[in-house]
Amino acid sequence: MAATAREDGASGQERGQRGCEHYDRGCLLKAPCCDKLYTCRLCHDNNEDHQLDRFKVKEVQCINCEKIQHAQQTCEECSTLFGEYYCDICHLFDKDKKQYHCENCGICRIGPKEDFFHCLKCNLCLAMNLQGRHKCIENVSRQNCPICLEDIHTSRVVAHVLPCGHLLHRTCYEEMLKEGYRCPLCMHSAFDMTRYWRQLDAEVAQTPMPSEYQNMTVDILCNDCNGRSTVQYHILGMKCKICESYNTAQAGGCSFSLDQQ
């Protein structure tokens, strides 16, 4: 649960208790918007009808001696360490998670820094193994997660980059895979489905359609390559002639050969 705030300068927690469910820290933030004390911006936002601007925080209160002071890493009164990591831009106090402040993102990220690069087009820090190997979408991180509809750019949950370039929270991505395999925005396959397509090839070959449907064809649109093709109708799936994906949708009516008609 979020820390309880008080307006009289006293801590909303038991004295000496460090942090909250979100962060491990030895101080409370004094919210410049309402002058209340909260362990972090998330605790504040969960309890108030407005948001705390982390960049405008000027003062903190030590959880041990309760002295309110200028935001800094160590208490000027009792030398309590407010956070193993401290950013004087974001006013982020926490235990050491190899954090670093990204100037382009404008906020702190969990590192180590050498394992990430900032993609200027996507406007987001991504893992080094995605450098030159991901599809860029301009400012994609400034869009909300299409699953939970919550912010991605400033979220504490790691973002997952789909092959189509769209972003989801990793936790939302894992939940999505329990129900399906396609991007909820563009319907592109969310991971390499080649192995499954080959298994489906075998199932289609072993499941002939009834004679009255064997000469039926249908126009399809492929969600993976955006190509159009005309293929034989099959109840198990219709395979794109261009990229061999079964992630397709019917794009027209059915037709039969003249001898079948």
Side-chain angles (χ1 to χ4, degrees):
M1 295 179 60
T4 301
R6 286 170 56 183
E7 301 180 51
D8 56 6
S11 168
Q13 301 171 298
E14 292 297 327
R15 186 171 178 177
Q17 178 183 337
R18 288 189 65 92
C20 58
E21 62 180 305
H22 307 111
Y23 297 103
D24 181 348
R25 54 181 52 166
C27 65
L28 302 175
L29 307 180
K30 186 175 182 181
C33 45
C34 56
D35 285 334
K36 295 180 183 179
L37 294 165
Y38 278 98
T39 312
C40 74
R41 65 179 180 88
L42 299 173
C43 290
H44 171 279
D45 295 352
N46 287 340
N47 284 274
E48 303 293 342
D49 60 0
H50 58 277
Q51 293 186 330
L52 187 156
D53 186 340
R54 72 186 83 182
F55 305 107
K56 292 183 178 180
V57 171
K58 300 297 182 184
E59 294 180 307
V60 298
Q61 182 188 59
C62 177
I63 63 170
N64 288 324
C65 70
E66 300 189 350
K67 179 178 177 61
I68 294 180
Q69 58 202 276
H70 180 73
Q72 54 196 317
Q73 191 167 16
T74 304
C75 178
E76 62 187 35
E77 184 75 17
C78 67
S79 300
T80 293
L81 183 67
F82 294 153
E84 294 175 359
Y85 174 83
Y86 170 58
C87 173
D88 61 1
I89 299 175
C90 298
H91 303 298
L92 173 64
F93 303 84
D94 200 7
K95 62 183 178 182
D96 184 10
K97 301 172 184 173
K98 308 300 182 185
Q99 298 97 324
Y100 66 97
H101 183 85
C102 174
E103 292 292 341
N104 290 312
C105 282
I107 57 176
C108 292
R109 298 292 189 192
I110 295 178
K113 184 176 182 178
E114 57 269 20
D115 289 350
F116 296 86
F117 74 100
H118 185 90
C119 175
L120 292 175
K121 186 172 183 180
C122 293
N123 204 2
L124 180 70
C125 285
L126 299 173
M128 288 297 295
N129 61 8
L130 291 175
Q131 193 164 21
R133 299 177 57 193
H134 72 285
K135 181 178 180 180
C136 290
I137 297 178
E138 191 167 0
N139 285 327
V140 67
S141 72
R142 299 310 198 269
Q143 303 171 10
N144 290 341
C145 172
I147 300 293
C148 67
L149 303 180
E150 295 184 0
D151 176 65
I152 289 181
H153 185 74
T154 62
S155 175
R156 296 176 68 244
V157 180
V158 176
H160 181 83
V161 185
L162 300 178
C164 56
H166 291 123
L167 297 181
L168 289 75
H169 292 120
R170 178 167 290 279
T171 50
C172 292
Y173 170 73
E174 292 169 353
E175 286 298 314
M176 182 196 76
L177 294 183
K178 296 177 182 179
E179 303 294 334
Y181 64 91
R182 297 185 293 192
C183 170
L185 291 176
C186 67
M187 305 303 287
H188 192 285
S189 294
F191 57 93
D192 186 358
M193 294 286 290
T194 303
R195 183 176 179 180
Y196 179 72
W197 297 154
R198 300 297 75 84
Q199 293 175 349
L200 198 50
D201 278 341
E203 292 179 24
V204 169
Q206 295 169 11
T207 313
M209 292 292 290
S211 57
E212 61 267 29
Y213 292 101
Q214 288 182 358
N215 290 330
M216 177 188 289
T217 60
V218 63
D219 295 331
I220 60 171
L221 172 65
C222 179
N223 291 315
D224 287 339
C225 71
N226 295 321
R228 291 177 177 270
S229 49
T230 301
V231 300
Q232 184 176 359
Y233 174 79
H234 200 285
I235 193 170
L236 294 181
M238 291 167 286
K239 180 178 177 179
C240 174
K241 288 185 176 180
I242 302 171
C243 70
E244 299 188 335
S245 167
Y246 279 92
N247 182 12
T248 60
Q250 187 171 331
C254 299
S255 60
F256 294 85
S257 63
L258 291 176
D259 58 346
Q260 187 72 10
Q261 294 177 354

